[in-house]
């Protein structure tokens, strides 16, 4: 028996599916199935039965679940304690937040300075990653808080704050299209474009808009962060269509924004691990990140959505 088997067992028992368990663990479905089979063999107890092609837990598996949960919680406590000692010396509180690069670079320096001044017994670890890796980080207890897409891809996350924004077209100062209040796909005929990579969900929506307009976008560069798109646009290498909140966070780079039409809505939120109360300071950190984004981007760059039933809200 090893820890990976325990994680696979816990993920399967809480999701009810080897596919969802694999997504939660950032592993393949065959790898999760193999870990479950090995776990069952090592214990010598029948933990699963297969009915109509699906795996179902036995009563023995249900009985063992609380013990496995306690073992994982103890291992996480040890891991957190080690990180606290590594990052904060004798400080006893470590809070880890994972954010997209654009948000981490634009708002976290000021947030971190004030937060650590107000809470000197806290060590703060700031991680950077995509929405997908951020979900996995929270589910794997490698981050206490993360900014992810809403709704998230994986179950097991609690959305403590949800935001709505829309796609905007970003242009360099003096561009002829700045005379318009909004910009459509037709307005971009003949324009060099700097677009996010094809794996991004917003890119898929942008490509659909161009196909519906029977246009072939004139792509000059593909990038993997809004911050990089803004930098290239500011240098006059083209125009771009990006998340409006992130674009407004980068306005000091020397770019201008106009709403893109047809409207492309974009939803994201701050997530914690469901079923486990976060550290008492996580809501406070969430509130401060929200305030910093509002101050830097402007209140009109996004909307805070009402919390869904069962989600713990954060006051702005």
């Amino acid at each position: 028996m090893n820890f990976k088997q325990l994680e696979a067992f816990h993920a399967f028992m809480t999701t009810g599916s080897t596919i969802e368990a694999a997504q939660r663990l950032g592993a393949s479905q065959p790898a999760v199935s193999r870990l479950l089979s090995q776990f069952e063999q090592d214990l010598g107890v029948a933990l699963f039965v297969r009915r109509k092609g699906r795996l179902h837990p036995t009563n023995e598996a249900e009985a063992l679940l609380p013990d496995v949960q306690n073992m994982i919680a103890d291992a996480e406590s040890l891991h957190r304690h080690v990180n606290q000692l590594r990052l904060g010396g004798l400080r006893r509180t470590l809070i880890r937040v994972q954010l997209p690069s654009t948000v981490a670079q634009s708002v976290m320096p000021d947030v971190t300075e004030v937060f650590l001044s107000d809470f000197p017994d806290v060590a703060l670890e700031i991680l950077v990653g995509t929405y997908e890796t951020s979900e996995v980080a929270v589910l794997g207890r490698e981050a206490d808080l993360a900014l992810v897409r809403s709704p998230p891809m994986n179950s097991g996350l609690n959305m403590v704050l949800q935001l709505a924004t829309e796609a905007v077209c970003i242009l360099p100062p003096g561009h002829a299209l700045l005379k318009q209040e909004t910009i459509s796909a037709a307005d971009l005929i003949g324009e060099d474009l700097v677009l996010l990579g094809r794996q991004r969900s917003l890119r898929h929506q942008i490509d659909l808009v161009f196909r519906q307009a029977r246009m072939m976008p004139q792509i000059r560069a593909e990038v993997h962060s809004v911050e990089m798109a803004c930098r290239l646009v500011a240098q006059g290498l083209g125009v771009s269509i990006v998340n409006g909140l992130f674009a407004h966070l980068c306005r000091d780079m020397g770019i201008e924004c106009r709403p893109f039409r047809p409207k492309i809505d974009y939803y994201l939120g701050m997530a914690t691990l469901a079923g486990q109360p976060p550290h008492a300071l996580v809501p406070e950190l969430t509130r401060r990140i929200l305030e910093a984004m509002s101050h830097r981007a402007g209140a009109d760059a996004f909307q805070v959505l009402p919390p869904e039933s069962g989600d713990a809200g954060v006051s702005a």
Side-chain angles (χ1 to χ4, degrees), residues 275-296:
Q276 178 175 308
H279 186 276
L281 288 178
V282 166
E284 177 63 17
L285 178 60
T286 303
R287 184 185 67 80
R288 294 191 183 204
I289 293 173
L290 174 63
E291 287 183 349
M293 290 194 298
S294 180
H295 177 74
R296 185 178 179 89

Side-chain angles (χ1 to χ4, degrees), residues 24 98 134-141 143-163 268-279 282-283 286 306-314:
R24 174 175 294 194
Q98 183 154 322
S134 294
E135 287 190 24
V136 172
V138 173
L139 291 169
R141 295 176 172 84
D144 302 292
L145 178 69
L147 185 63
V148 302
R149 259 196 305 265
S150 181
M153 294 176 58
N154 296 292
S155 60
L157 296 174
N158 178 39
M159 303 298 288
V160 297
L161 174 69
Q162 297 194 71
L163 309 173
L268 57 160
M270 301 296 285
T272 61
L273 186 63
Q276 178 175 308
H279 186 276
V282 166
T286 303
E308 296 181 357
S309 176
D311 288 341
V314 174

Side-chain angles (χ1 to χ4, degrees), residues 7 81 142:
E7 287 184 314
H81 196 180
E142 296 174 0

Side-chain angles (χ1 to χ4, degrees), residues 222-262:
E222 284 191 349
V223 297
H224 297 279
S225 75
V226 174
E227 180 184 15
M228 181 57 68
C230 292
R231 291 189 183 280
L232 295 185
V233 168
Q235 291 179 343
L237 297 180
V239 303
S240 188
I241 305 164
V242 298
N243 175 317
L245 168 57
F246 291 5
H248 282 81
L249 290 174
C250 297
R251 284 188 300 181
D252 61 352
M253 294 181 183
I255 58 167
E256 300 287 344
C257 302
R258 292 291 184 272
F260 183 73
R261 294 294 180 265

